Structure formats: structure tokens, C-alpha cells
Amino acid sequence: MTGEAQIHPGETDEFAFHAADNALPEAVDAAIVGGGIIGSSAAYFLARQGVSAAVFEKGRIGGEQSGRNWGWVRQQCRSPVELPLMMESLRLWKGLPDALGEDVGFHQGGTLYLAENEEELAELAKWLDVAHAHALDTRIVRGPELKALFSAGGRWAGALYTASDGRAEPSRAARAIARGARAAGARILTRTAVRGIETAAGRVSGIVTEHGRVATRAVVCAAGAWSRLFCGSLGIRVPQLPVLNSVARLPPGPELLTGQAWSPAIAVRRRADGGYTIAHGETSIHSIVPASFREAFKFLPAFRASVGSTRLRIGADFFRALATPARWPLDRESPFERERVLDPKPDARVLREMRTGLARWLPELAALPFVEAWGGMIEASPDILPIISPVERIGDFYVATGFSGHGFGIGPGAGRLVANMVCGTADPAALAGFRLGRFFDGSPIVPGPAI
Ligand SMILES: Cc1cc2nc3c(=O)[nH]c(=O)nc-3n(C[C@H](O)[C@H](O)[C@H](O)COP(=O)(O)OP(=O)(O)OC[C@H]3O[C@@H](n4cnc5c(N)ncnc54)[C@H](O)[C@@H]3O)c2cc1C
């Protein structure tokens, strides 16, 4: 198994369900399906408000996207719809090490979006209007200033730069937040798949896990790439498609920058261990699944916007999805127990292209081996923006999903918003842009930036 937040041989999972010492609670106020950064953060903020909350995770905390991502805590080039939440999230990241008493590798080293020529720089500079409207410290850097920030920067004409952007370690963050949630009173149970929910008079009354039933008054589906399947089994449509991104880790090497830099050929982040997390700047792969056809109309604008950067492929994922039932009896094994950790293989061609990108653009790192390479399945929504929303069909059932490759940085902020939504104290204006209903009420679907 690859990916950074995995339990390595000899390690034990501190959150694992045990019939005795980490047993199912009988009842909680709020049950959270999924222990990624969103579910863990929601539990943390619920528990800190005195709400009894529990996270139920089929595999391990941060085992899927939240432990496999690039680790960018980035405001730069986000859609104005999610930027205020991201800025709030950054404020929370800054306080996390103290609040949790743990080092999550958070560091404000800035984000650079590199341009090969003046035309590309002018294109990037268009985002300055958004930055200035939100009083962000984004600016254009070039020449010696760029080289001082990024010693390899002389190869580019200039860059869009946000000094206040941060980075953190995906291998640590979700688990540290889950520990913080537990310390605040939340229950965290891994190897505990949620098969479905129970309702009474149209409202949530309980969840059914593989180990038994838990009574609850609210359920949050923070199931990442599984949210469409989970919600679909309840008759709730969540438009979401999977996109594979391939990532590699370089060992400690020369310090070229302290934050992260993106270009179409290569994306690079300095790690807390002195190494680098790298990826292709543009290429992701959409493995066609039956839902690709069902949701084609809603995703058409996003497909159009990503022509050239999203490759399509059809293969085993299609047939696996075809063979997955849409509903299942709650007293039998569910699809969630059959795949504890979604661990897709990185794409060999993309990894080769990353090597070429390193040799061309970052020769200082080209001799370093890929110590580890892994795949991560991003769950994209039609407008590349999160869904943080109650649903109409079932009272007190909420979704927090569709973070579309941007959910790590925004995770703590989104978790707090989810907690407030469940408690009924969220500012309606803060939730307005994230309604699930936006995909069904005839609103135009305008995709935000993918990177
Ligand atoms: C390769 C890659 C690079 C990325 N880079 C960045 C980046 O640099 N910056 C950024 O901000 N974002 C980035 N992202 C996106 C970010 O990682 C995700 O948006 C974020 O982690 C989503 O968190 P989550 O908690 O919603 O989902 P996940 O982390 O996927 O967690 C969902 C969890 O739900 C569990 N689950 C599902 N169904 C059930 C069930 N029925 N019962 C129990 N448990 C269940 C799963 O096992 C999983 O652990 C990247 C993503 C990838 C894949």
C-alpha cells in the first residue's frame, strides 16, 4: 500500500475499533461518516462546542485523499466562492500546532505560479483583482526577487506569488486533528464502515455500521470519493466524478524554496523532512465510470475547461463500478468494507513525464530518486467547488464533500463550518455557495479553477 498516511508494518492504528476498549457508543449527537480531514475537523469543532460527536471511518484516518495530497494550504487562484472560507482556514492552520500540541508540518512558505513568458504572466496576473478584493498579499515577482524566493526561478519569466500561503504534512494533519477531536471528547473509530442510516418521521435517527447500530440526531456524510455511492444508496444524488492524480516523494535535497511552486510541467513542495513532494502540474486522469455518462451533462463545462489537462481512460474502474450495487441490505457486508482504503496505482506515464519535467525545469533535483510514488483519487464536483449542505430529503442529514482537489487547505475551515451547520449556528451567507441544490435548480454551472 502506498500513500503517506498509511500505517507502516509494526505500527498499530490507535483509533481501531475494538469490541472492548474502543467500542461503539450507544448514542451520539452527531455521527460523521469518513475520517479524512473534513470529517476529523468537523468532529474536532463539534466536540469543542460540547456536542457529542463520533467519526466512523472504514479504513484509517487520512488513508485516502487527506493523506495522499500535495500538502498545499493555498489561497492563491481559488474561486472567489471558496476564498473567504480558505482564508479563515489558513487562520485556523496557524493556530493548530498550539491548539493540538502537535507539529503538523505547517509553514507559511508561499505559493508561486510560474510563467514561461509574458503572455502566461499576464494571464496569471488576472487573478490579482480577486486577491486585492480580498486584501490578500498576492503579487507578481520576477528577476532577482523570484530567484531569492526560488533559487531555480531564473528559468521562468515571472510568477504570481502569495507569501501568506502555507503548506502542511498530509501524513500528519488529519490524524493530529482526529487526536485533537478525541481529546475534546469525540469518539474516533476506524475499521468501522457505515453501511447506511436509519430514519424516523423523515429525520435521521441512527446509523448502521458493520459493528452495529448507533443512535444519532444528525449524520454528516464526509465520505470523500465514496459520497456519491453512500448518498445514492439513500436516494440522494451527489454529482461527483473521480480523477486520479499521481504523486511522488523525493528524499531530502538542496533547499530551492521553502513553500511550493506550480508550473504546467511540474509542481513541487518543500517537505518538513527537507525532501520534496512532486507532481505533474496539469495532468490528471478521469477513469470513465458509468456515472461519467449519467453526469455528463453537468460535467460538460468542467470537461471543456480541462481539455488538455485531463486524460480520459476506460478500464477496470468502469467494470468495478458497474459491479458495485447501488443499494445493499444493512445486515450484510457493504461495498465500503470491501475496499478499506482506496489506493489507486499512480499512472506510469505521468510519473515518466514528471521525471522529464524535473530534468528540464529542476535539474537540481533530477538525480534524486522517487522514494515513493502513489495515486490519489480526487472527487470532483461539476463546478470544482465543495458541497457543504443539508439535504432536503432527510432531516438532519448533511453532506460535506466534493472538495475537488482543494480540500486539504480548506479542511479546518470547512470542518468548522460543518460543525456550525450541524449546530444550526452557521451564517447562511457562508453556506450559500456550497448548497447541493445548486446543481439541480437550473443555476448555470461555471467551473472554478482546477489548480
Ligand atoms: C493527489 C492529490 C493531491 C491533492 N493536493 C491538494 C493540495 O495540495 N491542497 C489541497 O487543499 N487539497 C489537495 N487535494 C485535495 C484534498 O486532499 C481533498 O480535497 C481532501 O483531502 C478531502 O478530504 P475529505 O475528508 O473530504 O476526503 P477523504 O480524505 O477522501 O476522506 C474520506 C474518508 O471517508 C471514508 N469513508 C468513505 N465511505 C465510508 C463509509 N461508508 N463508512 C466509513 N468511512 C467511509 C474513506 O475511507 C475516507 O478515509 C489533493 C488530493 C489528491 C488526491
Side-chain angles (χ1 to χ4, degrees):
M1 183 177 298
T2 51
E4 293 200 276
Q6 309 315 323
I7 307 289
H8 295 289
E11 256 182 278
T12 52
D13 179 358
E14 65 193 287
F15 302 112
F17 167 85
H18 297 295
D21 60 340
N22 197 16
L24 280 191
E26 255 175 46
V28 288
D29 291 333
I32 296 161
V33 185
I37 196 159
I38 303 299
S40 302
S41 300
Y44 175 74
F45 287 106
L46 280 166
R48 282 171 45 121
Q49 292 183 43
V51 176
S52 75
V55 174
F56 301 93
E57 163 57 53
K58 67 181 171 59
R60 51 194 53 146
I61 298 297
E64 296 196 350
Q65 295 176 87
S66 298
R68 291 160 182 268
N69 62 70
W70 297 1
W72 296 33
V73 178
R74 168 179 66 84
Q75 307 160 101
Q76 181 164 293
C77 287
R78 290 213 179 222
S79 156
V81 177
E82 63 175 358
L83 186 55
L85 184 59
M86 178 61 227
M87 292 171 70
E88 193 47 40
S89 195
L90 184 74
R91 277 190 275 278
L92 293 171
W93 275 106
K94 286 192 226 172
L96 271 185
D98 281 345
L100 300 175
E102 276 196 56
D103 177 11
V104 293
F106 180 72
H107 171 76
Q108 281 180 290
T111 300
L112 289 160
Y113 274 26
L114 301 154
E116 284 182 41
N117 51 47
E118 290 303 322
E119 291 73 42
E120 282 181 16
L121 199 54
E123 196 54 40
L124 289 172
K126 288 182 182 162
W127 197 76
L128 285 172
D129 288 345
V130 178
H132 294 157
H134 291 81
L136 261 186
D137 55 345
T138 309
R139 61 201 165 91
I140 294 289
V141 289
R142 49 171 96 227
E145 195 184 5
L146 174 54
K147 273 196 86 174
L149 293 164
F150 181 33
S151 57
R155 297 186 188 105
W156 283 271
L160 188 71
Y161 175 57
T162 304
S164 56
D165 273 2
R167 58 168 163 87
E169 292 304 325
S171 58
R172 299 184 202 162
R175 276 199 253 173
I177 295 169
R179 275 192 285 270
R182 188 172 58 184
R187 296 291 309 279
I188 313 283
L189 290 117
T190 59
R191 291 197 73 79
T192 307
V194 181
R195 294 175 173 167
I197 69 166
E198 290 177 340
T199 57
R203 311 199 80 78
V204 159
S205 59
I207 56 158
V208 180
T209 78
E210 63 183 298
H211 306 302
R213 175 184 185 273
V214 179
T216 187
R217 295 190 305 191
V219 172
V220 178
C221 173
W226 302 84
S227 299
R228 191 174 55 77
L229 182 66
F230 188 84
C231 292
S233 75
L234 308 175
I236 300 160
R237 183 167 164 206
V238 174
Q240 200 178 39
L241 288 180
V243 179
L244 172 70
N245 193 265
S246 304
V247 191
R249 172 163 78 82
L250 300 181
E255 186 176 276
L256 305 183
L257 77 176
T258 64
Q260 56 253 358
W262 174 88
S263 75
I266 197 85
V268 58
R269 171 182 70 86
R270 181 81 172 164
R271 299 165 54 92
D273 64 7
Y276 291 90
T277 293
I278 64 159
H280 196 291
E282 271 190 341
T283 300
S284 291
I285 292 170
H286 170 52
S287 258
I288 294 173
V289 287
S292 313
F293 299 103
R294 283 198 296 275
E295 302 291 5
F297 185 68
K298 292 201 184 311
F299 278 86
L300 210 55
F303 280 141
R304 277 205 202 104
S306 65
V307 168
S309 62
T310 303
R311 293 178 191 158
L312 300 181
R313 93 178 166 197
I314 187 152
D317 289 342
F318 183 89
F319 297 102
R320 199 173 313 125
L322 204 60
T324 303
R327 279 161 214 253
W328 43 85
L330 300 188
D331 59 353
R332 306 256 172 80
E333 189 189 56
S334 71
F336 309 111
E337 290 130 273
R338 275 176 228 138
E339 195 157 11
R340 292 281 169 193
V341 179
L342 185 56
D343 182 28
K345 278 204 180 71
D347 184 76
R349 180 172 154 204
V350 173
L351 293 181
R352 279 197 302 277
E353 289 171 358
M354 282 155 59
R355 277 263 156 242
T356 311
L358 278 179
R360 162 75 180 86
W361 291 103
L362 298 175
E364 298 86 347
L365 305 181
L368 297 175
F370 288 178
V371 181
E372 200 183 9
W374 62 89
M377 202 58 90
I378 290 170
E379 24 93 35
S381 74
D383 57 6
I384 321 293
L385 286 168
I387 303 164
I388 305 173
S389 179
V391 302
E392 275 176 18
R393 257 182 83 92
I394 305 172
D396 299 314
F397 184 86
Y398 303 89
V399 280
T401 194
F403 286 85
S404 304
H406 304 162
F408 182 68
I410 213 169
R416 192 165 73 177
L417 184 59
V418 169
N420 292 344
M421 172 173 71
V422 170
C423 294
T425 56
D427 176 0
L431 287 169
F434 305 128
R435 286 178 313 114
L436 176 60
R438 71 188 189 268
F439 301 119
F440 306 108
D441 62 6
S443 307
I445 295 176
V446 183
I451 297 279

